[in-house]
């Protein structure tokens, strides 16, 4: 599992012109782009959620858990692109939908269980993600 986290002052994901998830510009939040590979499981999703929730990357080195910062979770299979050979990425390391979708949901649910205000994109949809990266701060989480 890979989670690319961006500290944002606002973020929004739309599908077919309709907003499906949003962090309003009322302070800082986190945009979490989540990639799943074949060996991931629900226990790892829970550990990764805990790591993100307590990660001290907001202003004054506080975590989302400290200030109740909102989190926008968006599935992103392209985090597992293999670009070693040629010019066309391979997606073989990305888990297929029947594996990945429940684990992205488990990750979001684990965050909610920790007390996070979570919005999500739409798994498998063609999404447009808009964000204002604050800092900029971008961190890749892997366990």
């Amino acid at each position: 599992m890979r989670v690319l986290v961006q500290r944002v002052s606002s973020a929004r994901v739309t599908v077919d012109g309709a907003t499906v998830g949003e962090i309003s510009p009322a302070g800082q939040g986190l945009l979490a782009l989540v990639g799943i590979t074949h060996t991931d499981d629900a226990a790892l999703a829970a550990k990764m959620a805990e790591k993100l929730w307590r990660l001290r990357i907001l202003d004054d080195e506080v975590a989302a858990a400290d200030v109740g910062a909102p989190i926008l979770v968006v599935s992103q299979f392209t985090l597992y692109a293999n670009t070693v050979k040629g010019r066309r990425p391979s997606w073989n390391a990305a888990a297929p939908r029947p594996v990945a979708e429940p684990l992205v949901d488990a990750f979001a649910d684990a965050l909610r269980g920790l007390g996070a205000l979570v919005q999500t994109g739409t798994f498998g949809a063609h999404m447009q993600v808009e964000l204002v990266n604050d800092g900029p701060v971008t961190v890749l989480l892997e366990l």
Side-chain angles (χ1 to χ4, degrees):
M1 178 177 237
R2 292 179 179 158
V3 179
L4 185 68
V5 182
Q6 296 183 309
R7 184 176 75 186
V8 298
S9 56
S10 64
R12 177 171 71 151
V13 60
T14 59
V15 175
D16 296 327
T19 299
V20 296
E22 183 172 24
I23 294 175
S24 298
Q28 290 182 324
L30 299 174
L31 171 63
L33 304 173
V34 180
I36 306 293
T37 193
H38 304 280
T39 57
D40 293 340
D41 59 22
L44 180 60
K47 286 180 190 174
M48 191 68 85
E50 176 80 23
K51 178 78 171 177
L52 175 61
W53 185 232
R54 308 237 181 259
L55 190 66
R56 299 185 165 281
I57 62 171
L58 299 177
D59 281 347
D60 300 323
E61 296 185 9
V62 299
D66 298 328
V67 295
I71 301 173
L72 178 58
V73 174
V74 178
S75 62
Q76 182 94 32
F77 77 92
T78 61
L79 289 175
Y80 278 99
N82 182 340
T83 59
V84 173
K85 290 180 167 180
R87 296 178 294 155
R88 184 176 296 128
S90 167
W91 313 113
N92 291 341
R97 183 180 193 139
V99 174
E101 186 173 13
L103 291 177
V104 172
D105 290 344
F107 175 76
D109 289 343
L111 284 166
R112 288 182 186 105
L114 293 166
L117 174 61
V118 177
Q119 300 255 336
T120 63
T122 302
F123 192 96
H126 184 93
M127 296 177 275
Q128 289 76 44
V129 180
E130 300 172 46
L131 66 126
V132 177
N133 190 320
D134 183 33
V137 174
T138 302
V139 177
L140 180 62
L141 298 181
E142 292 183 285
L143 293 177

